[in-house]
Amino acid sequence: MSEFEKLRVVIQYEFMKHIRRARLYVILAISLLAEVLVLVLIPALHDWEYPTSVMVMAALLTVGGSLASLGAVFFAGDAIAGEFESKTGFILFTNPVNKLTLWTGKYLAGFFAVALLVVFTYIVMAVSLLVIYGEVPVEIFESFGLCIMYAAAVLSLTFFFSSLSKGSMGATVMTLLFVWVLSGILESVLSFTGNPYWFIISAGGDSIATVYGGIDMFLEGLGLGDASRFGNMMENFKPLSSGMAAWGMTIYLVGGFVASMFISQRRQLS
Amino acid sequence: MNAPIVVENLTKYYGNFLALDKLNLVVPEKENIGLLGPNGAGKSTTLKILCGLIRPSSGKAFVDGINVVEKPEQALSRIGAIIETPEFYTYLTPVETLSYLGRLRGMKGQELKKRIDEVISLVKLEKWAKVKIEKFSRGMKQRLGLAQSLLHDPPILILDEPALGLDPRGVVEFREIIEHVGQKKTVFFASHQLVEVTQICKKVAIINEGKLLAYDDIAVLEQKHGSLEQAYLQLTGGPSE
């Protein structure tokens, strides 16, 4: 039996895990709720009108970034650490399967589960825009592509922390702190001081919504004036291109995955 | 090197702690060998190295002539194992678990389905075959552990405290199964239960502090020390009162 056939088996059963666990449906419900809130609250708080620009509404409805990171972290936090923590590895690792095949299968199953969530939210978003504006901006495909890439990058990063961590919870918390707190702070400091910030993972996450336009467009679209309201904070800010965002995310996607494989191959189940 | 299990100068350190100290052991084909020793003697470490779960600090371990460290997948294809109390994915049922593990071993279709039914029946889990493992007791997981170790009909069984967590009836049933399958297989198992060992094995290896203290027929050890229990006590901690 080839390793490729074994990989297919691992993906199948790992994907089954994601489908059967409540967390998939909880994240799905949260993202749906977020989109419903945008659809309800914007007109309710904005003179019963949606923004005139479809691009502004598309950006506001884009929950994919948060959803992708949340899904990736919760689906992959226990991927490696869990086998050691819950000792299921005593059964799994005594089978004639290369561990690289096992980890790759787990990664791909997690990726497919997150992609499923992302596809669902983009469908909801596209249908909503079509109903409200009668059109769907073509930038939605660019946003979708970046979102999928961001999901893969966060998944790799979670695998990295999962390979280092003793427990699943540790991996989950470390990834969330890294992606949502540390990276967010670094991105803000670097971008507002005019320094390169394309290599920060949260910048990749932000690029998912900024394909529709910059901060000026959002503020104007919501009738909030322009970016001068932030004083000199925006003077040095340069929006990130999708290409640069993709390069930045590739670092985490490849680096995180390779590092997690390297570390987990050396880990022993004693 | 033709014996099913060969251990050569096997040494394992956990940090500064020496768990195995140049252990040498050969388990002949179709023999049932018990591995005895107090807690921390190195029993589980030996079995984990043979199953590719941990790497030795030095020395070699062979399964069917295959170096476990160099070719773990090939070596593992010859083994069925239970290490510690087996834990399974709780979202799967026993049938799904066995199907997953069987497919990873290249089994499929009707052959796999038939074999799953056989091993589930053997360990008496028929009523629980399609219930998620999250509802299982420790003893039931132990039964499923034995089922997965026998699923692919391996020539070698490596069992670490296989009856741990079982009720008295379960212990007897377990012993009968291992006795039965042990007639056609090489069984190498660690246990603290001397009664269990004498009923399944003709030969035992006694280790302590990572060193082999005795490796002989139970009858010979009984002759030398009066009983297997006395042999164990005298060899592992001086004569008992």
Side-chain angles (χ1 to χ4, degrees):
Chain A
M1 188 185 189
S2 71
E3 285 301 314
F4 183 72
E5 284 172 289
K6 289 176 189 174
L7 179 67
R8 278 179 47 198
V9 174
V10 175
I11 293 170
Q12 184 188 333
Y13 282 88
E14 283 292 322
F15 189 71
M16 190 192 286
K17 170 173 80 181
H18 298 310
I19 293 293
R20 287 187 179 180
R21 288 207 290 200
R23 60 184 71 174
L24 182 132
Y25 302 98
V26 170
I27 298 170
L28 197 65
I30 290 170
S31 56
L32 200 60
L33 180 68
E35 287 185 323
V36 169
L37 281 174
V38 170
L39 288 168
V40 172
L41 288 177
I42 293 280
L45 301 171
H46 196 251
D47 301 330
W48 300 106
E49 279 181 348
Y50 285 111
T52 51
S53 166
V54 66
M55 300 292 259
V56 172
M57 194 59 191
L60 290 168
L61 277 172
T62 301
V63 295
S66 309
L67 170 71
S69 55
L70 206 60
V73 169
F74 282 105
F75 292 160
D78 63 351
I80 298 172
E83 295 292 348
F84 293 87
E85 185 183 24
S86 63
K87 303 203 169 182
T88 44
F90 281 128
I91 293 292
L92 196 60
F93 300 160
T94 54
N95 284 279
V97 189
N98 191 319
K99 287 203 185 78
L100 277 179
T101 307
L102 280 175
W103 306 136
T104 308
K106 279 170 172 279
Y107 179 89
L108 291 173
F111 174 74
F112 292 143
V114 182
L116 192 73
L117 290 175
V118 172
V119 167
F120 177 77
T121 56
Y122 271 82
I123 289 173
V124 171
M125 181 176 143
V127 170
S128 305
L129 293 174
L130 204 60
V131 169
I132 300 167
Y133 296 92
E135 62 170 319
V136 180
V138 73
E139 284 82 357
I140 197 170
F141 293 106
E142 195 179 342
S143 170
F144 176 75
L146 286 169
C147 190
I148 289 290
M149 198 157 187
Y150 180 63
V154 178
L155 205 59
S156 285
L157 204 57
T158 314
F159 259 65
F160 170 69
F161 284 118
S162 190
S163 68
L164 284 177
S165 175
K166 277 189 176 176
S168 311
M169 188 53 75
T172 304
V173 171
M174 276 194 278
T175 315
L176 284 175
L177 283 176
F178 185 88
V179 175
W180 284 4
V181 181
L182 190 66
S183 295
I185 293 168
L186 269 176
E187 183 198 349
S188 301
V189 171
L190 291 173
S191 63
F192 291 128
T193 52
N195 287 293
Y197 64 98
W198 59 271
F199 50 87
I200 305 291
I201 193 163
S202 55
D206 290 345
S207 71
I208 296 166
T210 54
V211 296
Y212 299 108
I215 194 157
D216 281 323
M217 183 205 73
F218 289 110
L219 295 172
E220 284 165 20
L222 291 168
L224 299 171
D226 58 28
S228 62
R229 63 193 282 118
F230 295 112
N232 63 356
M233 279 302 287
M234 299 302 289
E235 280 175 9
N236 298 315
F237 176 75
K238 292 183 186 70
L240 197 62
S241 70
S242 295
M244 288 308 283
W247 274 116
M249 289 190 280
T250 306
I251 295 173
Y252 295 92
L253 200 166
V254 177
F257 185 75
V258 171
S260 68
M261 294 299 109
F262 183 80
I263 295 164
S264 52
Q265 283 292 89
R266 273 146 193 81
R267 230 172 134 167
Q268 299 184 63
L269 188 54
S270 55
Chain B
M1 205 79 78
N2 290 329
I5 294 174
V6 177
V7 163
E8 285 180 0
N9 290 318
L10 207 59
T11 302
K12 177 68 182 176
Y13 280 94
Y14 293 111
N16 291 325
F17 176 72
L18 180 61
L20 285 181
D21 189 4
K22 292 179 182 163
L23 186 72
N24 287 287
L25 203 66
V26 175
V27 177
E29 193 176 1
K30 290 180 186 169
E31 283 201 25
N32 298 350
I33 306 292
L35 184 60
L36 302 174
N39 292 327
K43 305 185 297 296
S44 291
T45 299
T46 307
L47 301 189
K48 284 174 185 172
I49 290 173
L50 284 166
C51 290
L53 294 169
I54 54 175
R55 287 181 294 277
S57 304
S58 64
K60 290 175 179 173
F62 297 91
V63 168
D64 261 354
I66 303 160
N67 189 316
V68 174
V69 177
E70 288 171 5
K71 295 176 181 171
E73 286 89 39
Q74 276 190 42
L76 289 172
S77 67
R78 266 84 163 174
I79 291 173
I82 308 179
I83 303 293
E84 296 192 359
T85 302
E87 291 297 337
F88 298 90
Y89 293 140
T90 51
Y91 61 91
L92 296 177
T93 66
V95 168
E96 288 165 343
T97 299
L98 295 172
S99 177
Y100 181 23
L101 301 174
R103 288 180 64 191
L104 284 179
R105 288 185 176 272
M107 301 167 78
K108 55 187 164 186
Q110 282 304 308
E111 174 218 8
L112 176 59
K113 197 172 175 299
K114 188 172 165 247
R115 187 63 189 152
I116 289 172
D117 290 344
E118 281 172 11
V119 291
I120 280 187
S121 163
L122 189 68
V123 299
K124 295 189 167 60
L125 274 180
E126 296 100 322
K127 283 182 190 168
W128 298 85
K130 290 180 180 170
V131 176
K132 280 190 188 167
I133 296 167
E134 63 192 4
K135 295 187 168 61
F136 278 28
S137 67
R138 190 174 173 180
M140 288 158 75
K141 287 180 189 169
Q142 206 77 17
R143 286 171 186 268
L144 183 56
L146 184 63
Q148 67 80 31
S149 72
L150 296 169
L151 181 67
H152 51 294
D153 199 16
I156 301 165
L157 279 179
I158 293 178
L159 310 170
D160 186 9
E161 298 281 355
L164 203 70
L166 291 171
D167 57 35
R169 181 181 294 277
V171 172
V172 173
E173 288 169 358
F174 233 67
R175 189 194 307 141
E176 286 171 356
I177 293 168
I178 296 171
E179 265 183 292
H180 176 68
V181 298
Q183 290 166 7
K184 295 174 187 169
K185 297 182 190 300
T186 304
V187 181
F188 189 37
F189 85 104
S191 178
H192 285 295
Q193 305 298 320
L194 299 183
V195 177
E196 184 183 63
V197 171
T198 45
Q199 284 172 334
I200 297 172
C201 308
K202 283 189 179 155
K203 205 169 175 178
V204 292
I206 301 176
I207 63 172
N208 195 17
E209 295 175 350
K211 286 181 183 162
L212 184 65
L213 305 174
Y215 184 32
D216 219 331
D217 285 346
I218 292 174
V220 174
L221 288 170
E222 283 176 339
Q223 208 171 18
K224 270 190 199 168
H225 298 272
S227 67
L228 180 61
E229 188 179 63
Q230 279 303 314
Y232 176 88
L233 292 172
Q234 287 169 22
L235 288 165
T236 59
S240 65
E241 292 300 316

